[in-house]
């Protein structure tokens, strides 16, 4: 017969992997049993000894379960016999053991989110990801077109007591409220507004309506942001919508180019216009001042001429020669008795002096 399998040398490589108590744990258990025997009197019957040991173990368990720690981003809601008792801030706290006080941690300082139409990998909140993302995103716009809308709702738990006790499954209720509000807001707009220019307006209006419903239902939730992600037409018409979007973008680009050219040319033309007007005003004032000055000078000269005609006439003649003669290159003064001026002209050429 095969030998008994109590010895480790007779066990195979697979049988040897059964669970065995480590020597250290065995020693700890033995010391605890010895201490318990030391506490209990030796004269007691086994039943009483067992009862006293159970009472000591129960007291140890109660002491171990009577304290708890609240993280810094959370508060604890304490229920005593199932009834709300208190809201406990972060830190180390004590409670009545054995299920008398039950604590529930609520992350009031953590920003939570719910995703509609897509899922972030590794999400721990079961209400963060959609159960049927395709159904949630399918919406009908105001002009009876279809659109696939994906969005995110970011929120915080502002009132833990209402969040736990006023509404059953508040996170699931928030998903239903968000989907209902988004369908209402998208249904009031055309598909072009939803896909292109109306995104910010949709986000703002959806945020206000979601917060109003959350307050009305006493959910204890404060909605921080509603953000639209991908908005696409249904797959059969997506190519046509892409062409329409490209045409609209091209139109906007051409309009922007025209506005840029307008802003460049019009101010330049207005500046040139103002410059021409100022130049014309300056020329007008200059001509008026010159005419007025000439008229005043002529009037003064006429007055002097009437008083002394010969002297005035000679002075005018001399002043005229002073203005004319500096502009003459060659000057030839001819005497009345001179018969010819040719020798003088030949002399000028031989000397090479300028005339």
């Amino acid at each position: 017969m095969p030998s008994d399998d109590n010895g480790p040398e007779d066990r195979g490589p697979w049988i040897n992997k059964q669970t065995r108590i480590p020597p250290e744990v065995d020693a700890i258990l033995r010391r605890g049993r010895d201490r318990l025997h030391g506490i209990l009197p030796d004269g007691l019957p086994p039943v009483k000894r067992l009862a006293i040991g159970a009472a000591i173990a129960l007291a140890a368990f109660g002491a171990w379960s009577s304290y708890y720690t609240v993280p810094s981003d959370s508060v604890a809601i304490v229920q005593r016999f199932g009834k709300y008792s208190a809201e406990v801030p972060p830190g180390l706290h004590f409670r009545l053991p054995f299920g008398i006080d039950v604590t529930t941690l609520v992350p009031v300082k953590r920003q939570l989110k719910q995703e509609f139409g897509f899922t972030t990998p590794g999400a721990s909140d079961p209400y963060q990801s959609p159960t049927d993302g395709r159904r949630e995103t399918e919406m009908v716009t105001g002009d009876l077109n279809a659109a696939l809308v994906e969005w995110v709702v970011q929120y915080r738990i502002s009132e833990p007591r209402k969040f736990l006790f006023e509404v059953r499954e508040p996170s699931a209720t928030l998903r239903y409220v968000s989907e209902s509000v988004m369908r209402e807001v998208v249904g009031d707009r055309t598909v072009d507004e939803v896909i292109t220019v109306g995104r910010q307006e949709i986000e703002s209006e959806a945020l206000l309506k979601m917060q109003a419903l959350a307050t009305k239902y006493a959910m204890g939730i404060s909605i921080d942001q509603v953000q639209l992600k991908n908005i696409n037409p249904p797959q059969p018409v997506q190519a046509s919508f892409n062409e329409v979007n490209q045409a609209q973008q091209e139109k906007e680009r051409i309009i922007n180019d025209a506005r840029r050219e307008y802003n460049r040319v019009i101010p330049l033309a207005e500046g040139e216009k103002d410059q021409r007007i100022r130049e014309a005003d300056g020329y007008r004032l200059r001509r008026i001042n010159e005419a007025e000055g000439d008229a005043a000078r002529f009037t003064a000269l006429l007055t002097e001429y009437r008083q002394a005609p010969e002297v005035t006439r000679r002075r005018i003649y001399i002043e005229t020669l002073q203005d004319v003669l500096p502009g003459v290159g060659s000057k030839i003064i001819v005497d009345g008795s001179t018969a010819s001026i040719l020798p003088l002209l030949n002399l000028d050429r031989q000397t090479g002096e300028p005339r």
Side-chain angles (χ1 to χ4, degrees), residues 14-325:
W14 305 108
I15 302 176
N16 195 29
K17 291 187 178 181
Q18 63 182 0
T19 304
R20 301 180 63 187
I21 299 177
E24 297 82 0
V25 178
D26 193 9
I28 293 173
L29 294 176
R30 187 182 303 107
R31 286 197 298 269
R33 187 169 58 252
D34 294 340
R35 290 179 182 177
L36 184 62
H37 283 298
I39 294 173
L40 297 177
D42 295 335
L44 293 177
V47 176
K48 290 186 177 181
R49 292 171 61 89
L50 183 61
I52 294 175
I56 295 175
L58 192 62
F61 175 77
W64 177 76
S65 62
S66 62
Y67 70 90
Y68 62 98
T69 302
V70 181
S72 59
D73 62 345
S74 305
V75 296
I77 300 298
V78 180
Q79 295 173 258
R80 182 163 295 172
F81 295 110
K83 182 180 179 180
Y84 172 81
S85 176
E87 179 179 322
V88 180
L92 180 64
H93 302 278
F94 293 90
R95 62 189 171 190
L96 297 178
F98 308 116
I100 299 175
D101 286 351
V102 178
T103 57
T104 304
L105 298 180
V106 182
V108 294
K109 296 183 181 180
R110 189 186 309 167
Q111 189 176 63
L112 308 174
K113 67 177 181 179
Q114 291 185 350
E115 300 167 338
F116 298 83
F118 65 99
T119 303
T120 300
S124 58
D125 188 358
Y127 296 102
Q128 176 177 334
S129 303
T131 56
D132 189 358
R134 183 71 179 181
R135 183 194 61 80
E136 291 179 344
T137 59
E138 293 177 347
M139 299 186 184
V140 179
T141 60
D143 54 355
L144 301 181
N145 284 304
L148 303 178
V149 183
E150 298 178 357
W151 74 98
V152 176
V153 176
Q154 297 179 350
Y155 67 97
R156 299 178 187 271
I157 301 175
S158 57
E159 299 180 69
R161 184 175 180 180
K162 291 183 178 180
F163 182 80
L164 292 179
F165 305 121
E166 294 293 334
V167 179
R168 182 176 298 162
E169 297 184 356
S171 299
T173 305
L174 179 61
R175 291 197 67 90
Y176 298 142
V177 168
S178 301
E179 182 179 352
S180 176
V181 169
M182 189 59 67
R183 291 185 183 277
E184 177 185 355
V185 175
V186 170
D188 292 338
R189 288 163 177 80
T190 63
V191 67
D192 293 334
E193 292 176 341
V194 174
I195 294 179
T196 57
V197 298
R199 297 173 63 98
Q200 186 174 2
E201 184 179 355
I202 292 174
E203 292 173 350
S204 301
E205 184 176 352
L207 174 61
L208 294 177
K209 291 187 176 182
M210 290 180 191
Q211 185 60 62
L213 288 176
T215 304
K216 179 180 179 181
Y217 296 156
M219 298 169 62
I221 291 175
S222 175
I223 299 176
D224 295 337
Q225 186 179 12
V226 176
Q227 184 178 6
L228 293 176
K229 291 298 185 180
N230 297 325
I231 302 178
N232 298 311
Q235 191 66 31
V237 297
Q238 189 168 3
S240 301
F241 269 87
N242 292 335
E243 293 179 359
V244 172
N245 291 333
Q246 292 177 359
Q248 290 178 347
Q249 293 174 0
E250 184 69 16
K251 181 188 73 173
E252 294 294 333
R253 185 186 65 80
I254 294 174
I255 291 175
N256 293 332
D257 292 342
R259 288 176 178 172
R260 183 172 61 251
E261 186 69 16
Y262 173 86
N263 294 330
R264 184 184 67 84
V265 173
I266 296 302
L268 180 62
E270 291 179 351
E272 293 180 355
K273 178 195 70 174
D274 295 338
Q275 181 181 1
R276 296 291 179 84
I277 292 174
R278 287 193 295 269
E279 290 177 355
D281 290 338
Y283 179 76
R284 177 179 61 84
L285 294 175
R286 182 173 62 83
R287 294 296 295 172
I288 291 174
N289 294 332
E290 289 178 355
E292 291 177 351
D294 293 342
R297 185 169 58 85
F298 181 77
T299 301
L301 184 61
L302 179 61
T303 303
E304 296 294 329
Y305 181 79
R306 288 175 179 175
Q307 294 177 359
E310 292 297 332
V311 176
T312 304
R313 186 183 299 112
R314 185 172 181 79
R315 184 169 61 84
I316 293 174
Y317 175 74
I318 294 173
E319 290 177 354
T320 303
L321 290 180
Q322 288 178 350
D323 294 336
V324 173
L325 289 179

